[in-house]
Amino acid sequence: MTKVEHPYGSWPSPITAREVAALPGAPQWSAVVGDETWWCALDPATATVGLMRRRMNDPDGEVRPVLGPDWPVGTKAMGYGGRPYLATPDFAVFSCSRDQRLYRATHGAAGADEPRPLTPADPEDALRTTYSDPVLDPTGTEVWAVREATQLTEDLTDPAPRTTRDIVAIPLSGAAADDPGALRVVASSHHFLSTIRLNPDGSRLSWLGWDHPVMPWQSTDLMIAGLVDGVAVAPTRVLGGDGVSVAQAEWAGNDSLYALADPDGWWNLFRVELGADKATATCVLPTETECGHAIWRVGSTTFAVTAAGVVLRRGLGEEALILWDPQTGTVTDLAPGWNEFSTSVSGAGSAVTVVAASPTESSVPLRIDVSSRTVVRCIGRPDYPHEAWVSVPERRHVEVEGGWQVPYIYHPPTNPEYRGPADTPPPLLIDVHGGPTSSTVTTRSLGFALFTSRGYAVASVDYGGSTGYGRAYRDRLRHTWGSTDVEDSVAVARALAAAGLADPRRTAIRGGSAGGWTTLAALAHSDYFACGAVYYPISDPATWFHEQTHDFESRYIHYLVGDPERDAERFARVSPLAHAAEITAPFIMLQGLQDVICRPDQARRLVEAVEAVRPGLCRAHHEFPGEGHGFRKDETMRVCLQAELDLYASVLGA
């Protein structure tokens, strides 16, 4: 087909905002359950997460829901969630997202029975309790989980002193559903807890813990304790602390564990041997690449111990899923062709499961037989009528001051029917991820195709602070938030313009959460961007501190900007709200009204400050009832994406 020349940014495209908004979210929390694979799946039509399963030896490979439609799954632990279920061949224990209680459901080939509550209901408007990362106890009569309890108040007081966390034992009989006294505290050690694990004979318990003001990618403690009558005795730190982050630990035997830790600046694989008097930790797979992850959700995982060795993801930017054989030290690639893997690697026996993606594949649960190296995708690749309009991403780098290489993913304009003028570069959208300790992925993106099929280029930036490139790269953001992230984003835009791949006069920036902060900071502190799309941002770091965010991130600002009292000048210098009068480029603001992480006031005050100086500069300000931090409803996303298309068409139009 001969392509028709048409201005970039105005190509006709069959991909609509409604179509993209209706796409299902990426699967999460995959698990091996006997001959079945389970995972969580988001339904944007109902804005709920369902628990799904597939029997691997079924000839039709049918995917079935574990629970009925009235049983959405999810936990609000740490604000971002955690592993919400435990599955055995006979029953499942799950957190219901509606009330955050744990329930038990016996399941069979025909489905599950009516779930029964295991934990008590919260006193109305007085307490919010969540449970996450459940494991089966040694006797098989209890499930142990991380319990997070927050005393509720009507004002926005500091959430940290109102929040406690414990590892608790919950009777599978349901005795605690009406009697909170039937719950037993197994262990308490730190303000934050994650990744509870029992050794094979049930004599020892391990977990990760950390305290304010550090974040878990700065420093965590791997704790070990013996068990006496179902209670942890004499907990001891065996790895981590003092500026060392342990991202995950799994038992290799009754007296040894594997763990991911970064004393050398990279999350690498260690083996911890528990002796009579002390524990010794040895790095068994040293490499200047990351094998671990930043803990944002309770119980997140990037490796699994199997009968054939340790399966873990490893990479610098792009990743591989590898099998490390402890007997020979050999490393085998288990999933050739896949290059991005989620933080839900799970295994049992000789099988592992993980959610994976690639430049030509959206996220899908994979089941891998480690012995035979057989890879089975648990969901068939859906037929997509507009496949030719989806761009294939390219990984690139640009060097910035200090010799740092800033990675980014370039999604070129792609349309089978249209091409741009030879003498005109395309408009560019700089996409800024949240976190800020997240990272970009070189994967097929139908969301970006909404823009690239119309003739926009998209570049998603792994600015300083992103994970996947070692501690030193992550620490580039320490006390430089609002500067390093903005400078790296501008550097990527300039590099693409210099290469003739972007129009410097028609470049926009977009992002949510921490990416929303960077978008606002870029509009306030640079004159490079013609417009911006802002999703649920931080705008005022001084009040986002402990007044207007949740417990998990209520001290994060100490790392990102500094001490709110001693470093007040730095706070004022980087704050987008303090420089709202300097924002001259049009933007849109998109905010959920139930957001407890970046509260609506952060967005609202910024819009009001800009409008007081330049009425009409904010082209759209949408507040969505029922939406929190990260939108789930397809109607919400349709409105947001259409607002972006309208903004870019009016500002970046040819």
Side-chain angles (χ1 to χ4, degrees), residues 486-512:
V486 171
E487 292 164 3
D488 287 356
S489 298
V490 172
V492 168
R494 291 187 187 280
L496 287 170
L501 297 175
D503 187 340
R505 298 166 302 170
R506 295 191 294 156
T507 296
I509 187 167
R510 67 190 299 270

Side-chain angles (χ1 to χ4, degrees), residues 423-460:
D423 59 350
T424 305
L428 172 67
L429 311 181
I430 290 290
D431 179 74
V432 189
H433 66 67
T437 53
S438 185
S439 59
T440 60
V441 289
T442 319
T443 60
R444 176 175 179 265
S445 173
L446 296 176
F448 286 160
L450 179 70
F451 307 116
T452 57
S453 64
R454 285 168 168 76
Y456 298 99
V458 176
S460 194

Side-chain angles (χ1 to χ4, degrees), residues 404-407 462-467 469-477 488:
W404 293 102
Q405 296 289 324
V406 175
D462 271 345
Y463 51 89
S466 303
T467 50
Y469 308 98
R471 181 182 283 264
Y473 191 80
R474 197 164 64 247
D475 279 346
R476 289 184 62 221
L477 203 61
D488 287 356

Side-chain angles (χ1 to χ4, degrees), residues 177-232:
D178 298 311
D179 178 15
L183 298 174
R184 182 179 74 258
V185 174
V186 175
S188 300
S189 63
H190 297 70
H191 191 70
F192 297 97
L193 303 170
S194 180
T195 322
I196 59 176
R197 299 290 187 267
L198 283 153
N199 71 342
D201 69 6
S203 63
R204 283 173 163 152
L205 179 71
S206 68
W207 67 91
L208 303 179
W210 66 96
D211 292 304
H212 282 313
V214 303
M215 300 300 284
W217 43 89
Q218 293 175 262
S219 184
T220 53
D221 297 328
L222 170 56
M223 306 297 294
I224 303 290
L227 294 169
V228 177
D229 297 328
V231 175

